[in-house]
Amino acid sequence: MVACTPDIYRCFECCIKCLGGIPYASLIATILLYAGVALFCGCGHEALSGTVNILQTYFEMARTAGDTLDVFTMIDIFKYVIYGIAAAFFVYGILLMVEGFFTTGAIKDLYGDFKITTCGRCVSAWFIMLTYLFMLAWLGVTAFTSLPVYMYFNLWTICRNTTLVEGANLCLDLRQFGIVTIGEEKKICTVSENFLRMCESTELNMTFHLFIVALAGAGAAVIAMVHYLMVLSANWAYVKDACRMQKYEDIKSKEEQELHDIHSTRSKERLNAYT
């Protein structure tokens, strides 16, 4: 059997120390956040593009000239919002991971190179508040994403009922969803050719399922935010306890130093008195 050299032992201890400093809870939350944001942004963007094609092809809607705020302008705004969400939460996930690394290092190496400061505690408290606000925002995004899922589910149900019940005349009016104004009549009925082509196309089914996946991604982001809140709260509690322990050790060392000084002074006084 080949004996292990001291260098191998030192390398092994270094690897164990590095693995012990990884914030696994923050890592899991970051992976879940990135997965949820990627699903929401990617599938949501493609679903919005599919919605534009469906409205233009089967509902015969056209973009309004000028600066009028119509449904197509709103869809373009939502796409830009998706771009912003993807960039913002990519950066925010990195910041939370960095905070997790520093917090874990500060706890594990309390008496080493890392020192817990008031600034570090303020940063942890700030991240807790910001994550809580983002969790509420993602809850709103999840609720908002459920609206197109509900609309496409109704449309998909109408298509399914026409294939099951012959001679059924069902209509879908976009005014009931607030997509067009009351004065515009944009509806499609089962007896029309556009409706039959839409139900037979794969575009409707694909857009519907893309919105469902986007809704699932928003839900995953909410779970990631809740996970982050638990991790940050636990780190905050650990840091707070570590600060108290650090203060206790400082006070204890000062008292021991004072006792040592008193003992040394008395010893010198006795020695002087004896001499």
Side-chain angles (χ1 to χ4, degrees), residues 95-112:
L95 291 177
L96 288 177
M97 274 298 299
V98 171
E99 194 272 343
F101 271 107
F102 274 103
T103 305
T104 303
I107 292 171
K108 290 184 177 297
D109 298 327
L110 178 60
Y111 305 107

Side-chain angles (χ1 to χ4, degrees), residues 10-230:
R10 284 195 293 268
C11 181
F12 179 74
E13 291 177 357
C14 182
C15 292
I16 294 298
K17 185 177 180 180
C18 291
L19 291 176
I22 295 176
Y24 292 101
S26 298
L27 181 62
I28 294 173
T30 303
I31 294 174
L32 184 60
L33 176 64
Y34 282 168
V37 172
L39 288 176
F40 173 77
C41 294
C43 295
H45 183 274
E46 293 301 317
L48 290 174
S49 300
T51 301
V52 171
N53 295 331
I54 290 174
L55 292 176
Q56 291 178 340
T57 304
Y58 304 109
F59 287 89
E60 298 178 352
M61 294 183 63
R63 290 181 178 270
T64 305
D67 297 332
T68 305
L69 186 63
D70 57 356
V71 62
F72 297 106
T73 306
M74 293 296 297
I75 289 176
D76 292 337
I77 293 174
F78 290 150
K79 287 183 179 180
Y80 286 116
V81 171
I82 286 175
Y83 300 150
I85 289 175
F89 279 93
F90 176 77
V91 176
Y92 190 66
I94 294 177
L95 291 177
L96 288 177
M97 274 298 299
V98 171
E99 194 272 343
F101 271 107
F102 274 103
T103 305
T104 303
I107 292 171
K108 290 184 177 297
D109 298 327
L110 178 60
Y111 305 107
D113 297 330
F114 292 99
K115 293 296 181 182
I116 299 172
T117 61
T118 305
C119 180
R121 285 179 288 171
C122 292
V123 170
S124 297
W126 170 256
F127 273 120
I128 291 174
M129 183 186 68
L130 200 60
T131 304
Y132 180 76
L133 295 177
F134 281 148
M135 184 197 69
L136 296 179
W138 273 110
L139 283 174
V141 170
T142 304
F144 184 78
T145 310
S146 63
L147 297 178
V149 173
Y150 172 73
M151 186 189 70
Y152 273 99
F153 176 76
N154 288 337
L155 187 57
W156 178 77
T157 303
I158 293 175
C159 289
R160 184 180 180 185
N161 290 337
T162 54
T163 57
L164 297 177
V165 182
E166 296 182 359
N169 186 15
L170 305 175
C171 295
L172 179 68
D173 196 344
L174 295 181
R175 291 178 294 183
Q176 63 182 343
F177 298 105
I179 297 178
V180 295
T181 59
I182 300 298
E184 300 180 60
E185 186 177 355
K186 292 293 182 180
K187 66 179 181 179
I188 186 171
C189 298
T190 57
V191 294
S192 63
E193 184 180 355
N194 287 339
F195 184 84
L196 296 177
R197 289 192 298 111
M198 180 181 64
C199 292
E200 293 175 356
S201 66
T202 58
E203 194 170 17
L204 175 64
N205 192 38
M206 179 62 69
T207 305
F208 176 44
H209 286 87
L210 283 174
F211 272 120
I212 292 177
V213 176
L215 179 61
V222 172
I223 297 175
M225 290 292 103
V226 174
H227 197 166
Y228 269 130
L229 278 177
M230 292 189 295

